[in-house]
Amino acid sequence: KDMLFGLQNAAGQVTFEVAPFNTHEVERISTADFVEKPVVGTRPGNEFTGEGAEEFTMKCRLFPEVIGGLTELEVLRKIQHSGGPAHLLRGDGEDLGWFALTEIREVHTFLNANGVGRMVDVQISLKRSWKPTAAEYYAAQAEDAYGKGKSRD
């Protein structure tokens, strides 16, 4: 299968591809931060102070009765609720870095008898985050494997 994007953290992994999690639009916004410096007799200058926020928005369309996708949607919720950053890769192998999954929107249309849409439009929002240390990453994996606040026994 051809991968468009992959997103993973200790709580799970989702591959965005043509089916079943059909991603048809990606928007990337990156900013830079500047401080305005007043200058006598001319326009103020801007001093670069560093990289600003970076965000991705992905729009996907699922057809649960035909090709699935609801399982992947639940994995995305698990990643979001873990609270930890997730690693984002583009299908051509480009490492896009670590992002927080800040929002998942879903709109079900053409509902079936169970109240599930035959077509489900999903939009997810990602915001640049920190790269976890190895200790943080493996602690999150252990927490997911054994449950939050539960012992191994």
Side-chain angles (χ1 to χ4, degrees), residues 28-135:
R28 182 179 189 180
I29 300 171
S30 58
T31 62
D33 292 332
F34 292 87
V35 173
E36 190 173 286
K37 298 284 187 165
V39 179
V40 176
T42 188
R43 293 184 187 156
N46 291 301
E47 181 180 337
F48 177 69
T49 59
E51 291 182 37
E54 183 175 7
E55 298 178 12
F56 275 89
T57 301
M58 297 179 169
K59 293 183 180 179
C60 311
R61 181 163 288 153
L62 313 179
F63 299 95
E65 293 181 342
V66 179
I67 57 176
L70 293 180
T71 301
E72 290 82 355
L73 184 56
E74 287 312 308
V75 173
L76 282 175
R77 286 202 193 292
K78 195 173 179 183
I79 291 171
Q80 181 185 39
H81 294 161
S82 77
H87 195 208
L88 182 63
L89 294 172
R90 197 169 56 202
D92 63 359
E94 180 73 18
D95 180 350
L96 298 171
W98 292 84
F99 289 80
L101 178 47
T102 58
E103 184 176 71
I104 301 171
R105 293 178 184 224
E106 60 185 273
V107 177
H108 292 248
T109 54
F110 310 108
L111 301 182
N112 65 18
N114 296 320
V116 177
R118 290 183 174 91
M119 184 171 74
V120 182
D121 287 317
V122 177
Q123 179 176 305
I124 68 167
S125 299
L126 304 163
K127 190 170 188 175
R128 171 79 61 194
S129 187
W130 75 92
K131 177 180 179 180
T133 65

